């Protein structure tokens, strides 16, 4: 049964006395979460199939044209380059799916260690500076050295994906500001951008796998559509809270709250 936006499973059994039915017992079980998980699994399977099929179809098409001899010798490098690009896209997609699966199943054999969050963020900003400059975007980091106990590799992945998204969904001559502060017994890392922003309706789904806010520009933007999902699962693995504030057309601010131990 569907009721109040959720799902309920009903089991009915008769109450029998001396061979006659005197009443009934109705058992109602809330199966909303189960139904939602089933729907997410079906949606995920459909999305994975689509995302894997697209680059494979391109690779197959280019390879077939080359195999049949329809490509001039001077054009072979161009076709080979397209095959390489699509295969790299496929590798990145499979890699992201594996990361999410490992985080989901708690299969990563890492131990927490003391790391300087400012130093880690500085390295990530440095790695992304060329990408930002090519799009005319200014990246800055503010704050001071602060030590937190976390898993360096996963923290790197989470912060990198937030910064990478802030660049991808920004506007020309925009900015990305990464800041680290101490607030109320926690270390707060914020990634603010001046990009397209996220509507309230999209904010509820933005961490879902393959969900894209700007679907019309998803091909131009690139990526696998799993960045924020990796952020969500990585933060859960680390015990870090995620915050999101956004205004459509003005920009977004994602925050990570690390326990200040």
């Amino acid at each position: 049964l569907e009721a109040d936006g959720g799902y309920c499973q009903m089991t009915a059994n008769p109450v029998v006395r001396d061979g006659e039915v005197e009443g009934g017992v109705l058992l109602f079980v809330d199966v909303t979460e189960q139904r939602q998980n089933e729907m997410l699994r079906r949606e995920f399977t459909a999305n994975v199939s689509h995302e894997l099929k697209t680059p494979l179809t391109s690779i197959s098409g280019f390879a077939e044209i080359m195999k049949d001899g329809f490509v001039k010798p001077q054009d072979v490098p161009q076709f080979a380059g397209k095959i390489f690009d699509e295969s790299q896209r496929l590798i990145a997609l499979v890699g992201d799916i594996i990361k999410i699966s490992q985080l989901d199943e708690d299969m990563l054999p890492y131990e927490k260690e003391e790391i300087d969050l400012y130093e880690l963020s500085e390295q990530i900003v440095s790695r992304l500076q060329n990408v930002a400059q090519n799009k005319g975007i200014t990246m800055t980091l503010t704050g001071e050295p602060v030590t937190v106990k976390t898993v360096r590799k996963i923290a790197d992945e989470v912060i990198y994906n937030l910064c990478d998204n802030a660049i991808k969904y920004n506007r020309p001559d925009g900015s990305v500001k990464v800041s680290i502060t101490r607030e109320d017994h926690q270390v707060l890392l914020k990634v603010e951008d001046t990009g397209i922003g996220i509507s309230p309706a999209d904010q509820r789904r933005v961490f879902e796998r393959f969900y894209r806010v700007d679907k019309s520009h998803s091909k131009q933007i690139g990526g696998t559509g799993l960045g924020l999902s990796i952020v969500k699962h990585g933060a859960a693995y680390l015990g870090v809270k995620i915050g999101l504030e956004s205004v459509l057309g003005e920009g977004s601010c994602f925050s990570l709250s690390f326990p200040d131990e």
Side-chain angles (χ1 to χ4, degrees):
L1 304 175
E2 188 172 357
D4 297 327
Y7 296 92
C8 189
Q9 185 180 51
M10 182 183 74
T11 303
N13 283 297
V15 174
V16 181
R17 182 180 295 175
D18 298 328
E20 294 185 4
V21 177
E22 290 194 348
V25 176
L26 300 181
L27 176 65
F28 292 88
V29 180
D30 187 349
V31 293
T32 303
E33 187 176 351
Q34 180 183 338
R35 286 291 297 269
Q36 288 174 342
N37 288 338
E38 288 173 359
M39 290 169 64
L40 284 173
R41 277 195 294 270
R42 285 197 295 268
E43 187 177 342
F44 177 64
T45 301
N47 283 328
V48 167
S49 301
H50 172 74
E51 294 290 337
L52 290 174
K53 185 178 179 181
T54 303
L56 283 172
T57 301
S58 297
I59 292 170
S60 178
F62 291 133
E64 185 178 10
I65 292 172
M66 293 174 69
K67 178 179 72 71
D68 293 341
F70 294 126
V71 181
K72 297 176 182 178
Q74 61 269 30
D75 293 332
V76 169
Q78 180 185 352
F79 276 78
K82 290 179 178 178
I83 291 174
F84 176 79
D85 290 341
E86 291 297 327
S87 63
Q88 289 301 112
R89 180 182 165 194
L90 197 58
I91 290 169
L93 177 62
V94 172
D96 281 353
I97 292 171
I98 291 171
K99 286 175 194 171
I100 290 178
S101 298
Q102 289 175 330
L103 289 168
D104 251 349
E105 301 298 327
D106 200 14
M107 292 168 57
L108 297 170
Y110 299 125
E111 290 187 6
K112 290 186 176 182
E113 59 180 303
E114 299 282 345
I115 70 164
D116 186 337
L117 195 60
Y118 184 89
E119 180 190 0
L120 176 63
S121 301
E122 194 173 37
Q123 293 174 5
I124 293 168
V125 169
S126 177
R127 273 151 49 195
L128 286 167
Q129 279 292 0
N130 286 338
V131 178
Q133 287 172 5
N134 290 338
K135 294 192 174 186
I137 295 167
T138 305
M139 283 195 81
T140 58
L141 170 65
T142 58
E144 58 184 23
V146 58
T147 301
V148 295
K149 193 170 185 179
T150 189
V151 179
R152 185 182 189 89
K153 184 177 177 62
I154 299 176
D156 183 295
E157 194 81 42
V158 169
I159 300 167
Y160 181 92
N161 274 290
L162 285 179
C163 293
D164 188 42
N165 256 34
I167 295 170
K168 284 178 181 174
Y169 291 94
N170 219 313
R171 56 177 173 78
D173 301 319
S175 66
V176 175
K177 297 177 181 178
V178 182
S179 62
I180 299 171
T181 56
R182 270 196 174 98
E183 294 182 15
D184 300 326
H185 305 291
Q186 63 183 2
V187 177
L188 196 63
L189 184 147
K190 290 184 179 180
V191 179
E192 302 176 69
D193 66 63
T194 55
I196 62 175
I198 306 169
S199 70
D202 285 322
Q203 287 181 36
R204 291 194 295 269
R205 301 194 60 193
V206 76
F207 292 101
E208 292 179 14
R209 301 168 188 185
F210 296 111
Y211 189 80
R212 295 179 188 265
V213 172
D214 190 358
K215 298 173 183 66
S216 61
H217 295 92
S218 60
K219 285 201 81 172
Q220 296 94 312
I221 291 171
T224 62
L226 292 170
L228 286 181
S229 187
I230 290 175
V231 169
K232 173 188 171 183
H233 287 77
Y237 184 91
L238 297 174
V240 172
K241 293 180 181 178
I242 307 175
L244 169 59
E245 296 177 8
S246 185
V247 178
L248 196 60
E250 294 184 16
S252 305
C253 176
F254 289 86
S255 62
L256 300 172
S257 301
F258 291 81
D260 188 7
E261 299 176 356

